[in-house]
Amino acid sequence: MELVTIRTFDNYFLANILMSKLKAFGIQCYLKDEYTVTVDPFLSNAVGGIKLVINKADEQDVLQLLQQFDEDYRRNAVCPKCGSHNIELVPKRTAANMITAILSWLFSDYAVSAENIYKCSTCGCESKTLPEPLQKDNALLESKNLN
């Protein structure tokens, strides 16, 4: 059986959530280097993060599931400024991230990880956390639940 790494994480919460979702669909998978990164997060870059490993035969099915999960995730995020659902996790444009990009290019595996932010593609609004639904959307949902 040939194994492949399908995604890497620096956070064991996200890694376990995604692994649980895949297991719910009957995909055999496990996390490699989870304990190393959890016990000493500074080693994350040295070992390449927490790796979600699957069977090579399941790769196409898993890629489709991951695409579906990502689309669902983006569909639920709403920009607080314009109400758009076009929110993506992108590297923050800072001098430190530019240096990180250069170090990554020079040293490949051993650069410091970049700081990421959520950015609305429509209006450019930036946030460190995934934006919550607008208040009017919450009120609309509550009124639908009452009826």
Side-chain angles (χ1 to χ4, degrees), residues 2-62:
E2 186 179 355
L3 300 175
V4 293
T5 299
I6 199 74
R7 202 171 265 185
T8 60
F9 305 87
D10 59 1
N11 178 318
Y12 73 94
F13 288 113
L14 297 175
N16 276 286
I17 288 170
L18 191 54
M19 182 179 69
S20 297
K21 282 182 163 185
L22 290 176
K23 284 186 174 185
F25 280 89
I27 304 294
Q28 290 184 336
C29 54
Y30 76 96
L31 298 174
K32 182 178 179 186
D33 296 325
E34 175 188 17
Y35 300 118
T36 304
V37 174
T38 303
V39 170
D40 192 351
F42 291 111
L43 293 176
S44 182
N45 289 328
V47 298
I50 300 169
K51 297 159 208 70
L52 179 60
V53 179
I54 61 164
N55 185 346
K56 176 86 170 151
D58 294 330
E59 187 173 15
Q60 290 306 314
D61 293 336
V62 170

Side-chain angles (χ1 to χ4, degrees), residues 61-79:
D61 293 336
V62 170
L63 289 173
Q64 288 176 349
L65 284 171
L66 292 178
Q67 183 178 5
Q68 178 185 346
F69 296 157
D70 290 344
E71 287 172 8
D72 291 344
Y73 176 77
R74 281 193 297 274
R75 194 177 11 250
N76 290 325
V78 179
C79 175

Side-chain angles (χ1 to χ4, degrees), residues 5 15 20 27 29 31 98 101 105 111-112 114 116 119 129 142-143:
T5 299
S20 297
I27 304 294
C29 54
L31 298 174
M98 294 298 214
W105 180 73
V112 180
N116 293 318
K119 185 172 183 176
T129 60
E142 289 174 11
S143 68

